[in-house]
Amino acid sequence: MKIDKHTQDIDAVGDNHVGTSSETPLRRDAFKLTSSEKVDLIKDDVRHILETLGLDLTDDSLKGTPNRVAKMFVNEIFGGLDPDQKPSASTFENKYKYGEMLVEKNITVYSTCEHHLLPIVGKAHVAYISNGTVVGLSKMNRIVDYFAKRPQVQERLTIQVVKELQKVLNTEDVACIIDAKHLCVNSRGIRDVDSSTVTSEFGGKFKNKETKREFLDYIKMDTSF
């Protein structure tokens, strides 16, 4: 089969883990369809894929798979594409007058590589320095989870988490580090099962060498219980 250069270039983008924007690339009509309408369309597409692969969808184990996959795509692993699922991040006055950095580490990351639609699994470490307001701890986890639940590039995910918290907290002093395994690397291609990818985004005071070092020292602390 002849593969033209355009197809080779497209494949190379995925294999080289290239991202194109810090914003998730969405079409203008991304929210025209309801969730149930999307499930119905995706269900038919999944059925076609499985039938093309030669699977017998009359088998009891497989006949519900198209519907299960469609609901999983829309409501679960890609639920972060739906702006209605964006977590509300109420802020509160910093009445404790706590002036040091706050670090929420080891936040579980479950995402999906947008190049091969394979899982990205790892940990995020997020920190901020209060500018007079604070946010509930669980909201930091929820923000990570929201932006992770979409086809992603790890670099973009890291930037999106920082930008969202900067907006919520009205401060530039936010940082995020993500260490994750990409199954598109671990289970296909080079099949390097031991490698992981580390990305970081530092804003405001976290660009300062000493502040950055303090953050890195915090996330190295052993907090197993």
Side-chain angles (χ1 to χ4, degrees):
M1 180 185 294
K2 183 178 180 181
I3 301 177
D4 60 34
K5 186 177 184 303
H6 178 65
T7 301
Q8 289 177 329
D9 289 342
I10 291 174
D11 287 343
V13 168
D15 285 336
N16 290 313
H17 196 69
V18 175
T20 56
S21 170
S22 63
E23 300 295 328
T24 301
L26 289 169
R27 298 199 325 266
R28 291 184 179 180
D29 63 348
F31 311 112
K32 183 178 179 180
L33 298 174
T34 66
S35 292
S36 60
E37 288 172 332
K38 290 180 179 180
V39 168
D40 285 340
L41 288 170
I42 293 171
K43 178 170 60 178
D44 291 338
D45 293 332
V46 174
R47 180 182 295 109
H48 181 241
I49 290 171
L50 296 177
E51 288 175 342
T52 302
L53 289 171
L55 293 170
D56 179 7
L57 296 191
T58 65
D59 184 88
D60 286 343
S61 180
L62 287 170
K63 63 184 179 183
T65 297
N67 190 56
R68 284 190 293 266
V69 172
K71 289 196 296 183
M72 177 186 68
F73 275 15
V74 174
N75 301 323
E76 296 179 67
I77 65 173
F78 298 144
L81 293 172
D82 183 354
D84 290 337
Q85 292 198 29
K86 187 175 183 179
S88 60
S90 301
T91 56
F92 308 93
E93 182 184 350
N94 183 10
K95 292 183 178 180
Y96 297 116
K97 304 301 179 185
Y98 181 73
E100 301 299 320
M101 75 173 67
L102 185 147
V103 181
E104 184 78 358
K105 66 178 189 173
N106 295 329
I107 300 171
T108 299
V109 172
Y110 281 113
S111 192
T112 304
C113 168
E114 69 181 33
H115 299 136
H116 295 94
L117 298 185
L118 286 171
I120 300 170
V121 183
K123 297 291 184 182
H125 313 287
V126 181
Y128 71 89
I129 300 172
S130 175
N131 188 29
T133 57
V134 295
V135 68
L137 295 180
S138 67
K139 291 300 188 290
M140 298 168 73
N141 301 61
R142 294 182 190 280
I143 287 171
V144 171
D145 188 58
Y146 173 70
F147 286 104
K149 284 184 174 175
R150 55 182 67 182
Q152 268 292 13
V153 176
Q154 187 173 322
E155 296 92 326
R156 181 194 297 136
L157 172 59
T158 311
I159 293 169
Q160 287 176 332
V161 169
V162 169
K163 283 186 173 180
E164 180 65 17
L165 278 168
Q166 286 174 330
K167 182 169 64 175
V168 167
L169 291 162
N170 191 30
T171 178
E172 292 295 308
D173 303 332
V174 179
C176 178
I177 294 175
I178 297 177
D179 183 4
K181 282 182 171 290
H182 293 239
L183 265 68
C184 59
V185 174
N186 301 149
S187 68
R188 60 160 296 283
I190 189 64
R191 295 185 181 180
D192 185 343
V193 297
D194 292 322
S195 67
S196 68
T197 301
V198 179
T199 51
S200 62
E201 178 73 7
F202 300 103
K205 293 177 183 177
F206 285 93
K207 293 183 182 293
N208 177 281
K209 184 177 180 181
E210 288 74 22
T211 307
K212 186 183 297 185
R213 171 50 55 193
E214 182 182 351
F215 175 40
L216 294 173
D217 287 343
Y218 278 138
I219 66 177
K220 285 191 235 176
M221 292 174 63
D222 183 8
T223 52
S224 56
F225 297 100

